[in-house]
């Protein structure tokens, strides 16, 4: 499994990411991009069309930020995601720190969320982000251009 560096610490999943960010002295925001998975399909020798395992496209369908605190958990995040974008298959996440005692500005949050969605649409590098499936498990992602 790939790990992600946040605040110069290695994290392995959602709970680690939230715990590390919540322990930092400055306030942080959790940035989320909900993604629909459009699977790639191929016709088999029997003439039936089947999804190709581990291939397809990710399509951003919703973006949202959350205040990070000890109470933020995946269950409540999933409920919010299901209410706002029921067709999501993966959640792309990142943490944005504030400055001193101030949380990140709404402008900063919006700009980072838009860049995250653009990264998906343009096939950019995904290594800076933590991807989580509908069960809260981290998912290793690779971008393939071409």
């Amino acid at each position: 499994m790939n790990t992600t560096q946040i605040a110069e610490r290695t994290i392995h999943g959602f709970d680690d990411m939230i715990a590390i960010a919540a322990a930092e002295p400055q306030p942080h925001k959790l940035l989320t991009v909900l993604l629909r998975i459009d699977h790639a399909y191929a016709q088999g020798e029997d003439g039936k069309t089947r999804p190709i395992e581990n291939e397809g496209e990710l399509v951003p369908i919703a973006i949202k930020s959350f205040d990070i605190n000890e109470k933020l958990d995946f269950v409540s995040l999933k409920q919010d995601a299901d209410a706002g974008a029921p067709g999501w298959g993966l959640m792309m996440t990142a943490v944005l720190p504030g400055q001193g005692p101030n949380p990140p500005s709404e402008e900063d949050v919006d700009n980072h969320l838009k860049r995250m969605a653009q990264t998906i649409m343009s096939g950019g590098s995904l290594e800076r982000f933590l991807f989580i499936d509908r069960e809260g498990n981290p998912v290793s992602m690779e971008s393939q251009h071409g």
Side-chain angles (χ1 to χ4, degrees), residues 2-137:
N2 288 350
T3 57
T4 304
Q5 293 288 333
I6 294 181
E8 299 179 10
R9 297 183 195 147
T10 301
I11 64 162
H12 300 279
F14 182 80
D15 291 338
D16 289 345
M17 179 175 62
I18 297 304
I20 289 168
E24 293 289 321
Q26 72 269 38
H28 286 64
K29 290 277 192 174
L30 173 68
L31 308 179
T32 64
V33 178
L34 299 178
L35 304 165
R36 182 182 74 229
I37 304 168
D38 289 347
H39 294 281
Y41 290 86
Q43 189 170 4
E45 291 179 15
D46 61 1
K48 293 183 180 179
T49 302
R50 292 183 180 83
I52 302 171
E53 190 173 331
N54 297 322
E55 287 193 30
E57 292 185 21
L58 299 175
V59 179
I61 57 174
I63 59 175
K64 190 169 182 179
S65 68
F66 298 85
D67 291 328
I68 292 185
N69 56 50
E70 303 81 24
K71 296 178 185 176
L72 183 62
D73 64 6
F74 183 75
V75 172
S76 58
L77 202 62
K78 182 180 177 183
Q79 289 172 344
D80 185 86
D82 286 343
W88 71 278
L90 287 175
M91 183 182 296
M92 176 186 193
T93 64
V95 171
L96 182 62
Q99 296 291 328
N102 301 317
S105 71
E106 287 304 313
E107 183 179 356
D108 264 356
V109 168
D110 288 344
N111 288 337
H112 278 82
L113 285 167
K114 289 174 185 172
R115 278 193 293 255
M116 288 171 67
Q118 184 61 39
T119 297
I120 290 293
M121 293 184 296
S122 67
S125 173
L126 303 177
E127 63 190 29
R128 300 176 310 204
F129 306 105
L130 177 66
F131 288 82
I132 303 166
D133 68 14
R134 292 189 56 82
E135 285 73 47
N137 301 312

